[in-house]
Amino acid sequence: MLKKKVIAIIPAKGNSKRISGKNYKKFDGKPIIAYTIEKLKKSGIFDRIIVSTDSKKIASISKDYGAEVPFKRPKLLSGHHASGALVISHTVRFLINEGCQFDYACCVYPPNPFLQISDLKKGFNKIKSKKFNYVFSATNYRFPFFRSFTFSRKKGIKILFKKNINKRSQDLKQIICDAAQFYWGRKEAWLQEKNIFRKGSDIIMIPKWRYHDIDTLDDWKYAELSHRYMLKKNYAKK
């Protein structure tokens, strides 16, 4: 029986609203997407690593580091409002039309220098159990969500959850958020664009010290410093 392939898909558009050239900007010495491609290759899980992009520069960098760029992403899927699920389902359909046989596809975003092979393998083992449509990375919020508030010069401080104002942080319910490192999915789930955040999905917990949401230049600088420390301690090579 022909072994079905396992696919990694990296959605990497050229434009970025908050950090210019975010998906190819140099992070600690090399394009940030390179870390993701290298880690996916090193994992030994994937038969093909596909980059979906509208950018010639990202396409060139991706090929240099060993990924495939078999098509240019359509303009319709390159805007700021195009959902990740649509981009992945487009790639899945392209591969099916190409004749590629596979069961699972893993969406991995480009700015991902803290991705760990061990976490990818945990997710892969769970999705292979066939109990779930998706398995994705998650982490605990760094700060007590239920003690949050808004602030404006005109209205001052507004507590969002007033009933929790006198509660201790350790007594508040722990909230989990999407760590955005990887999203394993069954081929059929991607094709049907099933909602990831509902029943039928499972999670792999990522420790807070390995989670970085890189949306601003301050985030970028902090992440670089963290990455250098992890390399020094040999945490980032796993």
Side-chain angles (χ1 to χ4, degrees), residues 116 227-238:
Q116 298 284 287
H227 188 257
R228 287 169 197 166
Y229 180 80
M230 287 177 65
L231 284 173
K232 185 178 179 181
K233 296 295 184 180
N234 206 33
Y235 294 143
K237 295 180 180 180
K238 296 178 182 179

Side-chain angles (χ1 to χ4, degrees), residues 120-132:
L120 280 171
K121 288 183 175 178
K122 288 176 187 175
F124 186 40
N125 288 333
K126 276 197 175 185
I127 200 73
K128 284 194 297 182
S129 72
K130 298 184 179 179
K131 295 178 181 177
F132 312 105

Side-chain angles (χ1 to χ4, degrees), residues 23-27 29-36 61 65 110:
N23 289 331
Y24 58 82
K25 180 178 170 68
K26 284 197 174 180
F27 181 93
K30 62 184 174 184
I32 197 164
I33 192 173
Y35 291 95
T36 300
I61 292 169
Y65 282 91

Side-chain angles (χ1 to χ4, degrees), residues 105-116:
C106 188
C107 167
V108 186
Y109 285 107
N112 218 334
F114 299 95
L115 179 66
Q116 298 284 287

Side-chain angles (χ1 to χ4, degrees), residues 4-219:
K4 291 192 175 182
K5 297 181 184 295
V6 181
I7 308 297
I9 302 172
I10 304 175
K13 64 183 180 182
N15 294 326
S16 178
K17 273 188 173 182
R18 288 170 286 194
I19 300 177
S20 179
K22 176 180 176 179
N23 289 331
Y24 58 82
K25 180 178 170 68
K26 284 197 174 180
F27 181 93
D28 212 5
K30 62 184 174 184
I32 197 164
I33 192 173
Y35 291 95
T36 300
I37 295 170
E38 288 177 338
K39 197 63 68 78
L40 294 176
K41 288 175 66 179
K42 187 179 178 182
S43 74
I45 300 171
F46 304 100
D47 298 282
R48 298 179 69 180
I49 300 169
I50 309 293
V51 175
S52 170
T53 186
D54 59 330
S55 164
K56 289 182 179 179
K57 185 167 186 174
I58 291 175
S60 178
I61 292 169
S62 300
K63 290 174 184 177
D64 286 344
Y65 282 91
E68 299 178 50
V69 188
F71 59 85
K72 182 179 180 181
R73 192 196 296 187
K75 283 187 177 181
L76 186 65
L77 297 177
S78 299
H80 295 301
H81 299 292
S83 72
L86 275 174
V87 173
I88 301 304
S89 69
H90 169 265
T91 305
V92 168
R93 290 179 196 280
F94 175 90
L95 294 172
I96 291 171
N97 291 336
E98 192 185 51
C100 182
Q101 300 289 320
F102 62 100
D103 286 319
Y104 309 106
C106 188
C107 167
V108 186
Y109 285 107
N112 218 334
F114 299 95
L115 179 66
Q116 298 284 287
I117 291 171
S118 57
D119 296 326
L120 280 171
K121 288 183 175 178
K122 288 176 187 175
F124 186 40
N125 288 333
K126 276 197 175 185
I127 200 73
K128 284 194 297 182
S129 72
K130 298 184 179 179
K131 295 178 181 177
F132 312 105
N133 291 315
Y134 300 104
V135 177
F136 63 96
S137 59
T139 193
N140 289 321
Y141 271 107
R142 282 194 172 95
F143 307 103
F145 178 80
F146 289 111
R147 292 290 295 278
S148 57
F149 59 87
T150 59
F151 176 80
S152 70
R153 293 294 172 193
K154 187 176 181 180
K155 296 183 179 180
I157 292 173
K158 181 182 178 182
I159 298 294
L160 295 181
F161 303 95
K162 292 181 180 179
K163 66 179 182 180
N164 296 316
I165 191 64
N166 293 318
K167 289 185 178 180
R168 300 179 305 168
S169 296
Q170 59 265 42
D171 294 331
L172 298 172
K173 187 176 181 179
Q174 181 62 61
I175 301 296
I176 299 171
C177 66
D178 174 14
Q181 290 195 351
F182 58 85
Y183 305 83
W184 279 102
R186 291 169 49 246
K187 178 178 68 177
E188 294 79 10
W190 289 121
L191 281 173
Q192 296 168 25
E193 297 171 28
K194 288 181 178 289
N195 192 335
I196 292 175
F197 302 101
R198 63 184 302 174
K199 187 176 180 181
S201 294
D202 200 0
I203 58 175
I204 301 297
M205 288 297 291
I206 307 296
K208 287 185 283 187
W209 60 271
R210 277 205 283 106
Y211 167 65
H212 289 265
D213 188 14
I214 308 176
D215 280 331
T216 67
L217 288 175
D218 277 349
D219 294 337

